């Protein structure tokens, strides 16, 4: 690093800060000018104020970091420009709805859209400047989060405003606005009161919330409910997906829904193909009386096969040395969603959540459930009196190979990871809220799932997990472990040196690089075609070391056996006699 380069970067970022530190001032002034008063206005205004303050603080922090970098190399410290502005604050207070100024609201939406575009560009420019000098990237992520939040407000506000204008011929716009914008301020207590009556719409609204405080509120509400209300709610479709509920309650609700769906689909097939259809499905269509190709195309068959896979996994719970299995969530639609826990995460001393990557889908998730199972066996074997819970979490839509060229869904981009990160963060919030005592949470991301994990860590700095583990990672979205919100020694990386995905470094710096700052753990080396999926191989050094990391037994990490000195036909480099990794790091 040269002093002139740090000074030049400081000047560029100072210009960037001067250009963008006021980007959220105009929306704030419009709110103060009564674009929207009462009802949901305070909730929206509070979010706007938070991101406006975070934006200005992040720019100041970036400038201070660059000034220190220049000063360390002997350059005179540049005078930091001010990134703080004063905006009058007299927003509408909480309480009954009082009105919408449609003209001011139109201007507010336009200002938000412009700010979102400007801040997105500014965040990426700031990230590039900081990364070039090896400085922490957290200020850039803060700016980008402000851009994402701002952009996320616009479509809904625009849709609601269009409805207000469309209704003005029939009823006063203020009355329509109360119905539309008032939902921002619907008290969560009021929503929970409706949910207690079995209101499906209230459940849908709660399931859509991703605020970190929601699961804790759900957990508190559930504890206060009478037993009779609880018994009714576990039969409400979708109730088991609610983050913050106890694992046993989610399991009961989800198993009930799974059985209901199975009965419905079985009846549908019986009407179409006769009463023996389900038996034919479970027998792989070998005894089907109708053409197999015809039945194989039926959506009901696909869904029933997925249900059968889930049932087979759950059937292992509590037998043959396995802990109870908990069905924490599932969704049969699309590529599917599923979360299965081996052991009770509410009471376990350590919970580890495994996040899978590319091409994962419900129909092929049995292997991932098994990965969580063998990790539970390995970790529990050395845990002593402590209890372990190991979760296989398919709570997002991983990119599929077939969608590589699809914008927003491709593995070469981070859009699926950012969407998945929101879901993972909410799931982790739910685990924390439902916990009945102290415990550690470890999140293990594999392949593209490591990017999802990294992005979720940015959404919950220091709160997503006590420890992060990445295996076979193409990058986690940052250039240094310390940018993930945890001490760098709480971030682990395992890379088989023949794993082609782990060599990519496509999403930020390669986590296996020494300059990334994570703690490497030994995993051994496998044939090229097996390396990316070998981390959970039974009796492997990688699996044993994963179990020890889960149990904080860092001094007991082992190196794999020395490689054979004999040349290998398909992989000549196996002739090298070397150990991969350093267990004492």
């Amino acid at each position: 690093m040269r002093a002139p380069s740090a000074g030049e970067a400081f000047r560029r970022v100072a210009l960037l800060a001067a250009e963008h530190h006021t980007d959220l001032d105009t929306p704030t002034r419009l709110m103060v000018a009564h674009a929207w008063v009462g009802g949901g206005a305070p909730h929206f205004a509070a979010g706007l104020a938070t991101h406006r303050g975070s934006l200005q603080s992040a720019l100041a922090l970036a400038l201070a970091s660059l000034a220190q970098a220049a000063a360390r190399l002997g350059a005179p410290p540049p005078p930091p420009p001010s990134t703080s502005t004063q905006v009058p604050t007299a927003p509408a207070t909480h309480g009954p709805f009082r009105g919408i100024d449609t003209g001011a609201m139109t201007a507010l939406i336009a200002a938000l859209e412009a700010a979102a575009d400007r801040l997105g560009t500014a965040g990426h420019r700031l990230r590039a400047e900081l990364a070039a000098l090896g400085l922490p990237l957290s200020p850039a992520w803060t700016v980008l989060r402000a851009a994402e939040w701002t952009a996320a407000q616009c479509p809904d506000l625009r849709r609601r405003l269009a409805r207000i204008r469309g209704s003005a011929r029939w009823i006063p716009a203020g009355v329509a606005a109360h119905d539309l914008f008032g939902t921002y301020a619907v008290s969560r207590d009021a929503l929970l009161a409706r949910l207690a009556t079995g209101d499906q719409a209230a459940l849908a609204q709660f399931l859509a919330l991703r605020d970190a405080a929601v699961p804790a509120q759900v957990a508190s509400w559930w504890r206060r409910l009478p037993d009779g209300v609880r018994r009714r709610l576990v039969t409400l479709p979708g109730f088991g997906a609610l983050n913050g509920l106890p694992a046993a309650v989610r399991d009961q609700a989800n198993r009930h829904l799974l059985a209901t769906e199975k009965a419905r689909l079985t009846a549908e097939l019986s009407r179409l193909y006769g009463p023996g259809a389900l038996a034919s499905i479970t027998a792989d269509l070998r005894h089907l009386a109708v053409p197999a190709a015809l039945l194989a195309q039926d959506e009901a068959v696909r869904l029933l096969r997925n249900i059968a896979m889930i049932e087979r996994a759950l059937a292992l719970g509590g037998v043959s040395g396995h802990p109870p299995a908990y069905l924490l969530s599932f969704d049969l639609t699309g590529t599917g969603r599923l979360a299965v826990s081996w052991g009770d995460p509410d009471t376990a001393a350590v919970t580890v959540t495994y996040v899978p990557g590319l091409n994962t889908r419900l129909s092929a998730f049995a292997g991932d459930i098994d990965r969580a199972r063998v990790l539970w066996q390995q970790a529990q074997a050395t845990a002593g009196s402590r209890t372990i819970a190991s979760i296989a979490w398919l709570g997002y839509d991983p990119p599929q190979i077939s969608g590589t060229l699809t914008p927003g869904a491709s593995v070469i981009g981070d859009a699926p990871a950012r969407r998945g990160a929101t879901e993972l963060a909410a799931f982790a919030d739910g685990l924390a809220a439902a916990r009945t005592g102290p415990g550690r949470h470890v999140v293990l991301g594999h392949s593209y799932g490591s990017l999802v994990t990294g992005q979720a860590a940015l959404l919950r700095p220091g709160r997503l997990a006590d420890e992060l583990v990445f295996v076979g990672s193409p990058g986690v979205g940052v250039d240094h472990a310390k940018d993930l919100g945890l001490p760098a020694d709480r971030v682990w990386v395992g890379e088989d040196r023949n794993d082609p995905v782990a060599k990519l470094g496509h999403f930020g710096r390669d986590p296996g690089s020494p300059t990334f700052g994570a703690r490497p753990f030994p995993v051994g080396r496998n044939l090229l075609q097996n390396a990316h999926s070998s981390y959970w191989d039974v009796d492997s050094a990688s699996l044993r070391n994963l179990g020890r990391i889960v149990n904080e037994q860092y001094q007991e990490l082992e190196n794999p056996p020395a490689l054979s000195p004999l040349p290998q036909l398909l992989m000549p480099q196996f002739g090298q006699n070397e150990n991969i990794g350093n267990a004492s790091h």
Side-chain angles (χ1 to χ4, degrees), residues 306-502:
N306 285 340
I307 289 174
M309 181 274 291
I310 297 171
E311 289 178 330
R312 286 193 298 271
L314 296 176
L316 284 176
V319 301
S320 303
H322 294 94
Y326 294 82
L327 180 57
L328 300 181
S329 67
F330 79 95
D331 186 346
L332 302 175
T333 60
T335 56
R337 305 287 181 88
L338 181 63
V340 173
S341 179
W342 300 101
D344 185 352
D346 296 351
T347 60
V350 189
T351 297
V352 54
T353 300
Y354 157 59
V355 183
L358 172 67
N359 228 36
T360 308
R361 54 193 307 119
L362 181 57
S363 59
F365 198 56
D368 296 277
I369 299 173
D370 199 54
R371 287 178 175 178
R373 182 185 63 81
V374 298
L375 180 54
W376 176 86
Q377 289 179 316
Q378 184 65 55
Q380 191 63 69
T382 61
S385 61
R386 292 183 297 179
T387 53
I388 306 294
S390 181
I391 300 172
W393 183 83
L394 176 58
Y396 78 114
D397 295 317
Q400 305 292 306
I401 291 178
S402 59
T404 301
L405 300 180
T406 304
S410 174
V411 69
I412 64 176
D414 66 354
R418 285 187 280 107
R419 293 191 294 268
T422 301
E423 301 298 328
L424 179 58
F427 180 76
D429 294 336
L431 293 179
R435 175 166 288 284
T436 59
R440 292 174 58 248
H441 185 208
V442 179
V443 179
L444 165 60
H446 175 237
S447 191
Y448 194 86
S450 66
L451 178 61
V452 176
T453 301
Q455 295 296 293
L458 296 176
L459 295 176
R460 301 288 189 273
R463 293 181 289 122
L464 180 76
D466 300 284
E467 213 132 18
L468 299 174
V469 184
F470 305 121
V471 293
S473 174
V476 299
V478 300
D479 288 334
H480 198 279
K482 66 177 182 292
D483 295 324
L484 293 169
L486 287 176
D489 64 355
R490 289 288 177 171
V491 180
W492 294 84
V493 60
E495 292 188 352
D496 187 309
R497 291 181 62 183
N498 281 329
D499 183 346
V501 175

